[in-house]
Amino acid sequence: MSTATYTVKGMTCGHCVNAVTEEITKIDGVTNVDIDLASGLVTIASERDLGADEVREAVDEAGYEVVS
Amino acid sequence: MSTATYTVKGMTCGHCVNAVTEEITKIDGVTNVDIDLASGLVTIASERDLGADEVREAVDEAGYEVVS
């Protein structure tokens, strides 16, 4: 089990949170995604260590940007 | 043909616009919905005069509120 935290820019509402959650959940091995809309903090639990690139791509696919 | 304009509160992103557009488009007779996100202005073209209640209900269904 692994947990990683990213900050995502541009999410403004629950729909945005859903879109990001949906794309990140598609990454192989992801078991849970928790997003705090106000702070943009995205916490990802996974069965393996995820590459930052994988996460960045998924967030990009949803239409948002990982800033850290 | 009829055109009506409403102001909707709470839309913050394109997903919100899509959600409101989708619900209003379901109203019988609606032919076009145009939404300006920045102002919240929703312009509805329809084949008949729509009741304000119908529009209010559709916007509510999408999770937002008609303010005028």
Side-chain angles (χ1 to χ4, degrees):
Chain A
M1 279 293 296
S2 171
T3 303
T5 303
Y6 295 84
T7 302
V8 170
K9 194 173 72 176
M11 296 184 294
T12 56
C13 74
H15 297 120
C16 301
V17 168
N18 289 344
V20 172
T21 301
E22 193 178 318
E23 287 302 327
I24 293 176
T25 302
K26 285 181 188 170
I27 301 173
D28 182 54
V30 168
T31 55
N32 193 60
V33 180
D34 183 83
I35 299 183
D36 181 68
L37 176 58
S39 62
L41 225 59
V42 177
T43 306
I44 308 169
S46 53
E47 291 167 343
R48 61 181 179 87
D49 287 339
L50 302 179
D53 280 1
E54 294 177 282
V55 175
R56 198 172 297 270
E57 269 174 39
V59 170
D60 183 76
E61 188 65 35
Y64 303 90
E65 192 190 346
V66 173
V67 289
S68 66
Chain B
M1 279 294 293
S2 171
T3 304
T5 303
Y6 295 84
T7 302
V8 170
K9 193 173 75 177
M11 296 183 295
T12 56
C13 73
H15 296 120
C16 301
V17 168
N18 289 344
V20 172
T21 300
E22 192 178 320
E23 286 302 327
I24 292 177
T25 303
K26 286 182 188 169
I27 301 173
D28 182 54
V30 168
T31 54
N32 193 60
V33 181
D34 184 82
I35 299 182
D36 181 68
L37 176 57
S39 62
L41 224 60
V42 177
T43 305
I44 308 168
S46 53
E47 292 167 343
R48 61 180 180 87
D49 288 339
L50 302 179
D53 280 1
E54 294 177 283
V55 175
R56 197 173 296 271
E57 269 174 38
V59 170
D60 183 76
E61 189 65 35
Y64 304 90
E65 191 190 346
V66 173
V67 289
S68 66

